[in-house]
Each structure stands twice: as C-alpha cells, then as structure tokens.
Amino acid sequence: MNFISSLLGNLNYGTILFLMLLESTVVPVPSEFVVTPAAYHAAGGNLDVFLVILFATIGADLGASINYVVAYYVGRPVIYRFANSKWGKMCLLNQEKVEKSEKYFDDHGIVATLTGRLIPGIRHLISIPAGLAKMNYWKFLLYTTIGAGAWHAILAGLGWYLHSIVPEDQLNDKITEYADYIKFAIIALVLLAAAYFALKYYLKRRKSA
C-alpha cells in the first residue's frame, strides 16, 4: 500500500494508467482519488485533462481485460476460490461481491458491462461475469470503454471544478464530501443508458414485427 500511496502522490499519465489498471482488476485503488486530483492538477496547467481521461480509460480497459481473460479461461470455481482466499480478502474481495456482480450482469445482460462501470462495488468486478459468460470480447471492450470513459469524465469534471474553490491540502476531504453528488450523477447516467438501450430494443422489436 505504501507503493500505491507513493504513486498517488506523483500523478502523471503513466501512474494514472497503472493505477486505473489496478483498480479495474481486484486491487482496491479508489479511482476518485486518482482521476479527480489529476484533473485538479490539469486545471492548474500541470496536465491535460483530456489526456487524464484517456489514460485513465486505457488503464481501466487493460485491467478489465485481465479480469475478463482470467474469468473466461479459468472459470467460476477458481474465481470463487480466489475470492475466498487470504489473497482475495487482502484485495477486499469475497464471494458475495463476485455473486453480486454476476447477478447484476444476469439481470441487465451485456449492457451491464457499460452501466456496471458506473456503480461502486460493481465497477471493478463486472468484467468477471462478462468473461464467465464468454461475452464477445470486442463488444465487451466497447461497452467497458464507454462506461469507464463516462465515469472518468465525471471525476475529471469534479477535479476541474474543485481547483477553483479548494486549496490542494483540502482536496481529498472535499472529494469525500462530494461523494453523494457523484452518486447522483452516476444514477442519472445509468438511468439514461438504461433508457437508451430499452428504447433501442423496443424500436428493433417494432421494426421486426
């Protein structure tokens, strides 16, 4: 964890990509404390906010792809065994969390790969049921990119905004304080995404009828 803390204290495009890769596997790295501070520094002219979002999203894609490939090839028993192991617990993982992500995927279908990227507790695990279900990889990658990009854009927007009102030594406290606003934004995005795909499905059914 000291290694991760040192990376959080030295944010650049490489560390942003690496930390978001870890966050999208099973390593507990909170993305709001990576992308939001990076965008805060971008507002001060030290980074480019669009590159922050880009590298964070590439990292998320890489990490999610690792989960997808592992789940695709090793299967459910090994995934659950790891979740219940000492190493799984060190990653704040357990069977209940994996089952929760599987249920979300089963309830929402492949679109869950997009909307699930916006939901805390589901975001970094949604690629596991996608791999277990042997979802088409390129469709999985497309939905993951859209969902992760939207999430990182929200966090970057928050960081950019906070730069004008909060000194840097109060930034992490303010990010925690704004957590509820982030949740509302997530809910709105998930509802919009769900409405879009429901409308698309309805129009497709109507056309075929």
Side-chain angles (χ1 to χ4, degrees):
M1 288 303 172
N2 289 335
F3 172 64
I4 292 176
S5 297
S6 67
L7 291 179
L8 288 170
N10 183 34
L11 290 174
N12 54 51
Y13 302 125
T15 55
I16 292 167
L17 185 150
F18 181 66
L19 287 167
M20 289 301 91
L21 183 155
L22 293 180
E23 191 258 355
S24 285
T25 54
V26 294
V27 181
V29 179
S31 52
E32 56 267 35
F33 291 103
V34 177
V35 180
T36 308
Y40 182 96
H41 293 144
N46 298 321
L47 295 168
D48 183 294
V49 70
F50 295 106
L51 290 180
V52 167
I53 296 170
L54 174 64
F55 279 93
T57 303
I58 292 172
D61 283 345
L62 292 173
S65 294
I66 292 171
N67 275 5
Y68 171 92
V69 170
V70 170
Y72 190 102
Y73 287 105
V74 306
R76 186 174 286 102
V78 177
I79 294 292
Y80 278 28
R81 199 176 305 133
F82 174 78
N84 291 321
S85 71
K86 179 180 72 174
W87 294 103
K89 289 179 172 56
M90 286 177 63
C91 295
L92 304 182
L93 194 62
N94 56 49
Q95 184 171 326
E96 183 182 354
K97 289 182 178 179
V98 179
E99 289 176 340
K100 183 179 178 182
S101 68
E102 281 202 83
K103 184 178 185 307
Y104 185 85
F105 186 87
D106 291 340
D107 289 346
H108 297 84
I110 59 175
V111 178
T113 313
L114 189 161
T115 58
R117 294 294 312 185
L118 303 170
I119 301 176
I122 295 289
R123 182 169 59 249
H124 66 301
L125 297 177
I126 196 63
S127 48
I128 292 176
L132 292 174
K134 301 193 183 306
M135 177 182 176
N136 176 274
Y137 175 73
W138 298 110
K139 186 172 287 188
F140 161 79
L141 185 62
L142 173 64
Y143 286 0
T144 297
T145 301
I146 295 171
W151 169 242
H152 296 145
I154 292 172
L155 296 180
L158 175 62
W160 190 275
Y161 167 72
L162 290 178
H163 184 267
S164 61
I165 63 170
V166 178
E168 188 169 359
D169 60 349
Q170 298 177 21
L171 179 60
N172 285 347
D173 291 336
K174 210 66 178 176
I175 291 171
T176 303
E177 182 183 327
Y178 273 74
D180 286 339
Y181 295 105
I182 295 174
K183 289 176 185 176
F184 290 138
I186 290 169
I187 291 170
L189 276 173
V190 170
L191 289 175
L192 284 172
Y196 168 77
F197 284 104
L199 178 62
K200 186 177 179 181
Y201 176 76
Y202 169 76
L203 293 175
K204 184 177 179 180
R205 286 287 300 271
R206 186 177 177 183
K207 185 178 179 180
S208 62

